[in-house]
Amino acid sequence: MRSRFDEQLAFLNKEMIEMGALCEEIIGGVLQALTEEKKQFLQGVSSLGSEIDRKERTIETLCLKLLLQQQPVAKDLRQVSAALKMITDMERIGDQAEDIAEIIPFVENRPKKLDMLLHKMAEASIKMVTESVDAFVEQNITLAKKIISDDDIVDNYFTKIKQALICEMIENPNDGECSIDLLMIAKYLERIGDHATNIAEWVVFSVTGVHKEDRI
Protein backbone atom coordinates (compact mmCIF):
# COMPACT_ATOMS: atom_id res chain seq x y z
CA MET A 1 0.00 0.00 0.00
CA ARG A 2 2.79 2.41 0.94
CA SER A 3 4.73 1.71 -2.25
CA ARG A 4 1.61 2.45 -4.30
CA PHE A 5 1.15 5.73 -2.47
CA ASP A 6 4.80 6.66 -3.00
CA GLU A 7 4.42 5.99 -6.73
CA GLN A 8 1.36 8.25 -6.92
CA LEU A 9 3.12 10.94 -4.88
CA ALA A 10 6.09 10.80 -7.27
CA PHE A 11 3.65 11.20 -10.17
CA LEU A 12 2.07 14.17 -8.39
CA ASN A 13 5.50 15.79 -8.07
CA LYS A 14 6.12 15.19 -11.78
CA GLU A 15 2.82 16.84 -12.70
CA MET A 16 3.55 19.79 -10.40
CA ILE A 17 6.95 20.27 -12.06
CA GLU A 18 5.30 20.20 -15.50
CA MET A 19 2.69 22.76 -14.45
CA GLY A 20 5.42 24.97 -13.02
CA ALA A 21 7.34 24.67 -16.29
CA LEU A 22 4.25 25.78 -18.21
CA CYS A 23 3.99 28.82 -15.94
CA GLU A 24 7.64 29.63 -16.62
CA GLU A 25 7.09 29.25 -20.35
CA ILE A 26 4.04 31.49 -20.51
CA ILE A 27 5.70 34.27 -18.46
CA GLY A 28 8.87 33.92 -20.52
CA GLY A 29 6.83 34.19 -23.72
CA VAL A 30 5.14 37.43 -22.75
CA LEU A 31 8.48 38.78 -21.50
CA GLN A 32 10.09 38.16 -24.90
CA ALA A 33 7.09 39.60 -26.71
CA LEU A 34 7.29 42.71 -24.55
CA THR A 35 10.99 43.50 -24.23
CA GLU A 36 12.34 41.88 -27.41
CA GLU A 37 9.31 42.79 -29.55
CA LYS A 38 8.92 39.19 -30.75
CA LYS A 39 5.19 39.15 -31.36
CA GLN A 40 5.24 35.49 -32.43
CA PHE A 41 5.54 34.56 -28.76
CA LEU A 42 2.06 35.97 -28.16
CA GLN A 43 0.53 33.43 -30.53
CA GLY A 44 1.17 30.54 -28.17
CA VAL A 45 0.07 32.30 -24.97
CA SER A 46 -3.59 31.31 -25.23
CA SER A 47 -2.81 27.64 -25.89
CA LEU A 48 -0.33 27.61 -22.98
CA GLY A 49 -3.03 29.12 -20.76
CA SER A 50 -5.42 26.33 -21.77
CA GLU A 51 -2.72 23.74 -21.10
CA ILE A 52 -2.17 25.17 -17.62
CA ASP A 53 -5.93 24.93 -16.98
CA ARG A 54 -5.95 21.28 -18.10
CA LYS A 55 -2.95 20.51 -15.93
CA GLU A 56 -4.72 22.08 -12.94
CA ARG A 57 -7.71 19.76 -13.47
CA THR A 58 -5.44 16.72 -13.86
CA ILE A 59 -3.56 17.46 -10.64
CA GLU A 60 -6.77 18.25 -8.77
CA THR A 61 -8.20 14.87 -9.77
CA LEU A 62 -4.99 13.11 -8.73
CA CYS A 63 -4.96 14.85 -5.34
CA LEU A 64 -8.58 13.93 -4.67
CA LYS A 65 -7.87 10.30 -5.54
CA LEU A 66 -4.91 10.29 -3.16
CA LEU A 67 -7.04 11.78 -0.39
CA LEU A 68 -10.02 9.47 -0.90
CA GLN A 69 -8.36 6.21 -1.88
CA GLN A 70 -5.07 6.28 0.04
CA GLN A 71 -6.26 8.26 3.07
CA PRO A 72 -2.85 9.80 3.82
CA VAL A 73 -2.04 11.03 7.30
CA ALA A 74 0.23 13.66 8.86
CA LYS A 75 2.95 14.93 6.53
CA ASP A 76 1.63 13.08 3.48
CA LEU A 77 -1.79 14.63 3.98
CA ARG A 78 -0.26 18.09 4.28
CA GLN A 79 1.75 17.60 1.09
CA VAL A 80 -1.30 16.61 -0.96
CA SER A 81 -3.42 19.38 0.59
CA ALA A 82 -0.68 21.92 -0.16
CA ALA A 83 -0.54 20.78 -3.79
CA LEU A 84 -4.29 21.45 -4.11
CA LYS A 85 -3.76 25.00 -2.86
CA MET A 86 -0.68 25.58 -5.00
CA ILE A 87 -2.28 24.69 -8.32
CA THR A 88 -4.83 27.45 -7.78
CA ASP A 89 -2.01 29.98 -7.54
CA MET A 90 -0.25 28.49 -10.58
CA GLU A 91 -3.46 28.69 -12.62
CA ARG A 92 -3.80 32.36 -11.68
CA ILE A 93 -0.19 32.94 -12.73
CA GLY A 94 -1.18 31.67 -16.16
CA ASP A 95 -4.22 33.97 -16.20
CA GLN A 96 -2.12 37.00 -15.35
CA ALA A 97 0.43 36.18 -18.04
CA GLU A 98 -2.48 36.09 -20.51
CA ASP A 99 -3.65 39.46 -19.19
CA ILE A 100 -0.18 40.89 -19.88
CA ALA A 101 -0.27 39.43 -23.41
CA GLU A 102 -3.52 41.26 -24.13
CA ILE A 103 -1.97 44.61 -23.15
CA ILE A 104 1.33 44.26 -25.04
CA PRO A 105 0.00 45.39 -28.47
CA PHE A 106 -1.05 48.70 -26.89
CA VAL A 107 2.38 49.64 -25.48
CA GLU A 108 4.49 49.54 -28.64
CA ASN A 109 5.38 53.24 -28.35
CA ARG A 110 6.47 53.01 -24.73
CA PRO A 111 9.66 54.67 -23.40
CA LYS A 112 12.42 52.06 -23.89
CA LYS A 113 14.15 53.08 -20.65
CA LEU A 114 11.49 51.07 -18.80
CA ASP A 115 12.26 47.84 -20.64
CA MET A 116 15.25 46.99 -18.45
CA LEU A 117 13.19 47.35 -15.26
CA LEU A 118 10.29 45.34 -16.70
CA HIS A 119 12.73 42.65 -17.88
CA LYS A 120 14.37 42.35 -14.46
CA MET A 121 11.01 42.33 -12.70
CA ALA A 122 9.71 39.57 -14.97
CA GLU A 123 12.90 37.53 -14.51
CA ALA A 124 12.62 37.86 -10.73
CA SER A 125 8.99 36.70 -10.90
CA ILE A 126 9.86 33.70 -13.10
CA LYS A 127 12.65 32.73 -10.68
CA MET A 128 10.23 32.82 -7.75
CA VAL A 129 7.75 30.58 -9.60
CA THR A 130 10.44 28.07 -10.57
CA GLU A 131 11.95 27.90 -7.09
CA SER A 132 8.56 27.63 -5.38
CA VAL A 133 7.76 24.42 -7.28
CA ASP A 134 11.30 23.12 -6.63
CA ALA A 135 10.80 23.81 -2.93
CA PHE A 136 7.59 21.77 -2.93
CA VAL A 137 9.09 18.77 -4.71
CA GLU A 138 12.22 18.85 -2.53
CA GLN A 139 10.22 19.73 0.60
CA ASN A 140 12.87 22.41 1.09
CA ILE A 141 11.75 24.83 3.78
CA THR A 142 14.94 26.92 3.49
CA LEU A 143 14.29 27.57 -0.19
CA ALA A 144 10.62 28.31 0.53
CA LYS A 145 11.56 30.95 3.09
CA LYS A 146 14.03 32.49 0.62
CA ILE A 147 11.23 32.82 -1.95
CA ILE A 148 8.99 34.54 0.59
CA SER A 149 11.81 37.00 1.25
CA ASP A 150 12.45 37.47 -2.50
CA ASP A 151 8.96 38.91 -2.92
CA ASP A 152 10.45 42.18 -1.65
CA ILE A 153 12.67 42.27 -4.76
CA VAL A 154 9.66 42.11 -7.08
CA ASP A 155 7.81 44.68 -4.97
CA ASN A 156 10.80 47.04 -5.19
CA TYR A 157 10.84 46.75 -8.98
CA PHE A 158 7.14 47.59 -9.03
CA THR A 159 7.78 50.71 -6.95
CA LYS A 160 10.59 51.82 -9.27
CA ILE A 161 8.47 51.28 -12.37
CA LYS A 162 5.53 53.11 -10.84
CA GLN A 163 7.72 56.09 -9.95
CA ALA A 164 9.25 56.13 -13.44
CA LEU A 165 5.80 56.07 -15.02
CA ILE A 166 4.60 58.94 -12.84
CA CYS A 167 7.53 61.02 -14.10
CA GLU A 168 6.77 59.92 -17.65
CA MET A 169 3.14 61.02 -17.38
CA ILE A 170 4.23 64.43 -16.07
CA GLU A 171 6.74 64.87 -18.90
CA ASN A 172 4.51 63.43 -21.64
CA PRO A 173 0.88 63.75 -20.60
CA ASN A 174 -0.32 62.77 -24.08
CA ASP A 175 1.13 59.28 -23.54
CA GLY A 176 -0.83 58.71 -20.33
CA GLU A 177 -2.80 55.75 -21.68
CA CYS A 178 0.38 53.86 -22.55
CA SER A 179 1.80 54.59 -19.09
CA ILE A 180 -1.33 53.21 -17.45
CA ASP A 181 -1.07 50.03 -19.55
CA LEU A 182 2.58 49.63 -18.53
CA LEU A 183 1.63 50.08 -14.90
CA MET A 184 -0.96 47.31 -15.30
CA ILE A 185 1.73 45.00 -16.72
CA ALA A 186 3.96 45.75 -13.73
CA LYS A 187 1.03 45.12 -11.39
CA TYR A 188 0.35 41.73 -12.98
CA LEU A 189 4.03 40.82 -12.54
CA GLU A 190 3.80 41.85 -8.90
CA ARG A 191 0.75 39.60 -8.48
CA ILE A 192 2.68 36.71 -10.07
CA GLY A 193 5.32 37.22 -7.38
CA ASP A 194 2.57 37.21 -4.75
CA HIS A 195 1.24 33.89 -6.07
CA ALA A 196 4.75 32.40 -5.97
CA THR A 197 4.95 33.59 -2.35
CA ASN A 198 1.64 31.88 -1.60
CA ILE A 199 3.03 28.65 -3.07
CA ALA A 200 6.14 28.93 -0.89
CA GLU A 201 3.97 29.49 2.19
CA TRP A 202 2.09 26.27 1.42
CA VAL A 203 5.44 24.49 1.11
CA VAL A 204 6.27 25.66 4.63
CA PHE A 205 2.88 24.31 5.76
CA SER A 206 3.46 20.95 4.07
CA VAL A 207 6.73 20.52 5.99
CA THR A 208 5.91 22.10 9.36
CA GLY A 209 2.13 21.86 9.60
CA VAL A 210 1.95 25.62 10.26
CA HIS A 211 0.66 28.15 7.73
CA LYS A 212 1.25 31.89 7.96
CA GLU A 213 -2.45 32.50 8.51
CA ASP A 214 -2.40 30.20 11.53
CA ARG A 215 0.16 32.31 13.36
CA ILE A 216 -0.98 34.96 15.81
Side-chain angles (χ1 to χ4, degrees), residues 163-195:
Q163 290 170 344
L165 287 170
I166 289 171
C167 293
E168 181 65 26
M169 283 189 278
I170 292 171
E171 293 173 9
N172 301 292
N174 292 333
D175 295 332
E177 190 171 343
C178 178
S179 294
I180 291 171
D181 285 338
L182 287 168
L183 183 61
M184 286 301 300
I185 289 174
K187 188 62 182 175
Y188 285 132
L189 289 172
E190 183 197 34
R191 290 297 298 140
I192 287 170
D194 289 341
H195 287 304

Short mmCIF file of all heavy atoms in Angstrom, two decimals, residues 163-195:
data_model
loop_
_atom_site.label_atom_id
_atom_site.label_comp_id
_atom_site.label_asym_id
_atom_site.label_seq_id
_atom_site.Cartn_x
_atom_site.Cartn_y
_atom_site.Cartn_z
N GLN A 163 7.14 54.74 -10.07
CA GLN A 163 7.72 56.09 -9.95
C GLN A 163 8.18 56.61 -11.31
O GLN A 163 7.99 57.79 -11.64
CB GLN A 163 8.87 56.07 -8.95
CG GLN A 163 8.42 55.88 -7.51
CD GLN A 163 9.58 55.62 -6.55
OE1 GLN A 163 10.69 55.30 -6.97
NE2 GLN A 163 9.31 55.76 -5.26
N ALA A 164 8.79 55.73 -12.11
CA ALA A 164 9.25 56.13 -13.44
C ALA A 164 8.07 56.50 -14.33
O ALA A 164 8.15 57.46 -15.12
CB ALA A 164 10.05 55.00 -14.08
N LEU A 165 6.98 55.79 -14.20
CA LEU A 165 5.80 56.07 -15.02
C LEU A 165 5.11 57.36 -14.59
O LEU A 165 4.55 58.09 -15.43
CB LEU A 165 4.82 54.89 -14.95
CG LEU A 165 5.26 53.65 -15.73
CD1 LEU A 165 4.37 52.46 -15.41
CD2 LEU A 165 5.24 53.93 -17.23
N ILE A 166 5.15 57.66 -13.31
CA ILE A 166 4.60 58.94 -12.84
C ILE A 166 5.37 60.10 -13.47
O ILE A 166 4.78 61.07 -13.96
CB ILE A 166 4.65 59.02 -11.30
CG1 ILE A 166 3.62 58.05 -10.68
CG2 ILE A 166 4.36 60.45 -10.81
CD1 ILE A 166 3.74 57.90 -9.17
N CYS A 167 6.70 59.98 -13.47
CA CYS A 167 7.53 61.02 -14.10
C CYS A 167 7.25 61.11 -15.59
O CYS A 167 7.19 62.21 -16.16
CB CYS A 167 9.01 60.71 -13.87
SG CYS A 167 9.54 60.83 -12.15
N GLU A 168 7.06 59.95 -16.22
CA GLU A 168 6.77 59.92 -17.65
C GLU A 168 5.45 60.61 -17.97
O GLU A 168 5.34 61.37 -18.95
CB GLU A 168 6.73 58.47 -18.14
CG GLU A 168 6.47 58.30 -19.62
CD GLU A 168 7.57 58.86 -20.49
OE1 GLU A 168 8.73 58.93 -20.03
OE2 GLU A 168 7.27 59.24 -21.65
N MET A 169 4.44 60.40 -17.14
CA MET A 169 3.14 61.02 -17.38
C MET A 169 3.20 62.54 -17.19
O MET A 169 2.49 63.29 -17.85
CB MET A 169 2.08 60.40 -16.47
CG MET A 169 1.62 59.03 -16.93
SD MET A 169 0.19 58.38 -16.02
CE MET A 169 1.00 57.72 -14.56
N ILE A 170 4.05 62.98 -16.27
CA ILE A 170 4.23 64.43 -16.07
C ILE A 170 4.92 65.06 -17.27
O ILE A 170 4.54 66.12 -17.76
CB ILE A 170 5.03 64.70 -14.77
CG1 ILE A 170 4.20 64.29 -13.54
CG2 ILE A 170 5.42 66.17 -14.68
CD1 ILE A 170 4.96 64.30 -12.24
N GLU A 171 5.97 64.35 -17.78
CA GLU A 171 6.74 64.87 -18.90
C GLU A 171 5.99 64.77 -20.23
O GLU A 171 6.10 65.64 -21.09
CB GLU A 171 8.08 64.12 -19.01
CG GLU A 171 9.02 64.38 -17.84
CD GLU A 171 10.26 63.49 -17.91
OE1 GLU A 171 10.44 62.81 -18.95
OE2 GLU A 171 11.03 63.47 -16.93
N ASN A 172 5.22 63.67 -20.38
CA ASN A 172 4.51 63.43 -21.64
C ASN A 172 3.06 63.06 -21.36
O ASN A 172 2.67 61.89 -21.47
CB ASN A 172 5.19 62.31 -22.44
CG ASN A 172 6.64 62.62 -22.76
OD1 ASN A 172 6.93 63.52 -23.54
ND2 ASN A 172 7.55 61.87 -22.15
N PRO A 173 2.27 64.03 -20.98
CA PRO A 173 0.88 63.75 -20.60
C PRO A 173 0.05 63.13 -21.72
O PRO A 173 -0.93 62.42 -21.44
CB PRO A 173 0.33 65.12 -20.20
CG PRO A 173 1.26 66.12 -20.80
CD PRO A 173 2.59 65.46 -20.85
N ASN A 174 0.44 63.34 -22.96
CA ASN A 174 -0.32 62.77 -24.08
C ASN A 174 -0.15 61.26 -24.20
O ASN A 174 -0.93 60.58 -24.88
CB ASN A 174 0.10 63.42 -25.41
CG ASN A 174 -0.32 64.87 -25.49
OD1 ASN A 174 -1.30 65.28 -24.85
ND2 ASN A 174 0.42 65.67 -26.25
N ASP A 175 0.88 60.73 -23.52
CA ASP A 175 1.13 59.28 -23.54
C ASP A 175 0.61 58.60 -22.28
O ASP A 175 1.05 57.50 -21.92
CB ASP A 175 2.64 59.01 -23.68
CG ASP A 175 3.18 59.49 -25.01
OD1 ASP A 175 2.41 59.53 -25.97
OD2 ASP A 175 4.38 59.83 -25.06
N GLY A 176 -0.33 59.23 -21.61
CA GLY A 176 -0.83 58.71 -20.33
C GLY A 176 -1.44 57.34 -20.43
O GLY A 176 -1.28 56.50 -19.54
N GLU A 177 -2.14 57.05 -21.53
CA GLU A 177 -2.80 55.75 -21.68
C GLU A 177 -1.78 54.62 -21.74
O GLU A 177 -1.96 53.56 -21.12
CB GLU A 177 -3.66 55.75 -22.94
CG GLU A 177 -4.57 54.53 -23.03
CD GLU A 177 -5.57 54.63 -24.16
OE1 GLU A 177 -5.80 55.75 -24.66
OE2 GLU A 177 -6.14 53.58 -24.54
N CYS A 178 -0.69 54.87 -22.47
CA CYS A 178 0.38 53.86 -22.55
C CYS A 178 1.01 53.64 -21.18
O CYS A 178 1.29 52.50 -20.80
CB CYS A 178 1.44 54.33 -23.55
SG CYS A 178 2.84 53.19 -23.72
N SER A 179 1.21 54.71 -20.43
CA SER A 179 1.80 54.59 -19.09
C SER A 179 0.91 53.77 -18.16
O SER A 179 1.40 52.96 -17.37
CB SER A 179 2.04 55.99 -18.50
OG SER A 179 3.01 56.69 -19.25
N ILE A 180 -0.39 53.97 -18.28
CA ILE A 180 -1.33 53.21 -17.45
C ILE A 180 -1.27 51.72 -17.81
O ILE A 180 -1.28 50.85 -16.93
CB ILE A 180 -2.75 53.76 -17.60
CG1 ILE A 180 -2.84 55.15 -16.96
CG2 ILE A 180 -3.77 52.82 -16.96
CD1 ILE A 180 -4.13 55.88 -17.23
N ASP A 181 -1.18 51.43 -19.12
CA ASP A 181 -1.07 50.03 -19.55
C ASP A 181 0.21 49.39 -19.02
O ASP A 181 0.22 48.24 -18.58
CB ASP A 181 -1.09 49.95 -21.08
CG ASP A 181 -2.48 50.18 -21.66
OD1 ASP A 181 -3.46 49.98 -20.92
OD2 ASP A 181 -2.58 50.56 -22.83
N LEU A 182 1.32 50.15 -19.06
CA LEU A 182 2.58 49.63 -18.53
C LEU A 182 2.51 49.39 -17.04
O LEU A 182 3.06 48.41 -16.51
CB LEU A 182 3.72 50.60 -18.85
CG LEU A 182 4.17 50.64 -20.32
CD1 LEU A 182 5.08 51.83 -20.56
CD2 LEU A 182 4.88 49.34 -20.70
N LEU A 183 1.81 50.27 -16.33
CA LEU A 183 1.63 50.08 -14.90
C LEU A 183 0.82 48.82 -14.62
O LEU A 183 1.11 48.09 -13.67
CB LEU A 183 0.93 51.30 -14.29
CG LEU A 183 0.74 51.28 -12.77
CD1 LEU A 183 2.11 51.22 -12.06
CD2 LEU A 183 -0.04 52.52 -12.30
N MET A 184 -0.17 48.54 -15.46
CA MET A 184 -0.96 47.31 -15.30
C MET A 184 -0.09 46.08 -15.51
O MET A 184 -0.21 45.09 -14.77
CB MET A 184 -2.13 47.30 -16.29
CG MET A 184 -3.27 48.24 -15.95
SD MET A 184 -4.00 47.87 -14.32
CE MET A 184 -4.54 46.19 -14.56
N ILE A 185 0.82 46.13 -16.50
CA ILE A 185 1.73 45.00 -16.72
C ILE A 185 2.59 44.77 -15.48
O ILE A 185 2.76 43.64 -15.03
CB ILE A 185 2.61 45.26 -17.97
CG1 ILE A 185 1.77 45.16 -19.24
CG2 ILE A 185 3.78 44.27 -18.01
CD1 ILE A 185 2.51 45.54 -20.50
N ALA A 186 3.13 45.86 -14.94
CA ALA A 186 3.96 45.75 -13.73
C ALA A 186 3.14 45.19 -12.57
O ALA A 186 3.65 44.38 -11.77
CB ALA A 186 4.55 47.11 -13.37
N LYS A 187 1.89 45.60 -12.47
CA LYS A 187 1.03 45.12 -11.39
C LYS A 187 0.77 43.62 -11.53
O LYS A 187 0.78 42.89 -10.54
CB LYS A 187 -0.30 45.88 -11.39
CG LYS A 187 -1.18 45.57 -10.18
CD LYS A 187 -0.49 45.99 -8.88
CE LYS A 187 -1.33 45.65 -7.65
NZ LYS A 187 -0.62 45.95 -6.40
N TYR A 188 0.56 43.17 -12.77
CA TYR A 188 0.35 41.73 -12.98
C TYR A 188 1.61 40.94 -12.60
O TYR A 188 1.53 39.85 -12.02
CB TYR A 188 -0.02 41.45 -14.44
CG TYR A 188 -1.45 41.82 -14.79
CD1 TYR A 188 -1.73 42.56 -15.94
CD2 TYR A 188 -2.52 41.44 -13.98
CE1 TYR A 188 -3.04 42.91 -16.27
CE2 TYR A 188 -3.83 41.79 -14.30
CZ TYR A 188 -4.08 42.52 -15.44
OH TYR A 188 -5.37 42.87 -15.76
N LEU A 189 2.78 41.49 -12.93
CA LEU A 189 4.03 40.82 -12.54
C LEU A 189 4.18 40.78 -11.02
O LEU A 189 4.65 39.77 -10.46
CB LEU A 189 5.24 41.55 -13.17
CG LEU A 189 5.40 41.40 -14.68
CD1 LEU A 189 6.51 42.33 -15.19
CD2 LEU A 189 5.72 39.95 -15.05
N GLU A 190 3.76 41.84 -10.36
CA GLU A 190 3.80 41.85 -8.90
C GLU A 190 2.87 40.77 -8.34
O GLU A 190 3.23 40.08 -7.39
CB GLU A 190 3.38 43.22 -8.37
CG GLU A 190 3.48 43.31 -6.84
CD GLU A 190 2.69 44.49 -6.27
OE1 GLU A 190 1.64 44.83 -6.83
OE2 GLU A 190 3.13 45.04 -5.26
N ARG A 191 1.69 40.62 -8.95
CA ARG A 191 0.75 39.60 -8.48
C ARG A 191 1.31 38.20 -8.71
O ARG A 191 1.09 37.30 -7.90
CB ARG A 191 -0.59 39.75 -9.21
CG ARG A 191 -1.37 40.98 -8.82
CD ARG A 191 -1.76 40.94 -7.33
NE ARG A 191 -2.61 39.81 -7.03
CZ ARG A 191 -2.50 39.07 -5.93
NH1 ARG A 191 -1.56 39.32 -5.03
NH2 ARG A 191 -3.32 38.05 -5.72
N ILE A 192 2.05 38.01 -9.82
CA ILE A 192 2.68 36.71 -10.07
C ILE A 192 3.67 36.40 -8.94
O ILE A 192 3.73 35.26 -8.44
CB ILE A 192 3.38 36.70 -11.44
CG1 ILE A 192 2.33 36.65 -12.56
CG2 ILE A 192 4.36 35.52 -11.56
CD1 ILE A 192 2.88 36.88 -13.96
N GLY A 193 4.43 37.41 -8.52
CA GLY A 193 5.32 37.22 -7.38
C GLY A 193 4.56 36.88 -6.11
O GLY A 193 5.00 36.04 -5.31
N ASP A 194 3.41 37.51 -5.93
CA ASP A 194 2.57 37.21 -4.75
C ASP A 194 2.09 35.76 -4.78
O ASP A 194 2.05 35.09 -3.74
CB ASP A 194 1.36 38.15 -4.69
CG ASP A 194 1.74 39.58 -4.34
OD1 ASP A 194 2.84 39.79 -3.80
OD2 ASP A 194 0.92 40.48 -4.60
N HIS A 195 1.70 35.28 -5.96
CA HIS A 195 1.24 33.89 -6.07
C HIS A 195 2.38 32.91 -5.79
O HIS A 195 2.17 31.88 -5.15
CB HIS A 195 0.65 33.64 -7.46
CG HIS A 195 -0.69 34.27 -7.66
ND1 HIS A 195 -1.77 34.04 -6.82
CD2 HIS A 195 -1.14 35.14 -8.59
CE1 HIS A 195 -2.82 34.73 -7.23
NE2 HIS A 195 -2.46 35.41 -8.30
#
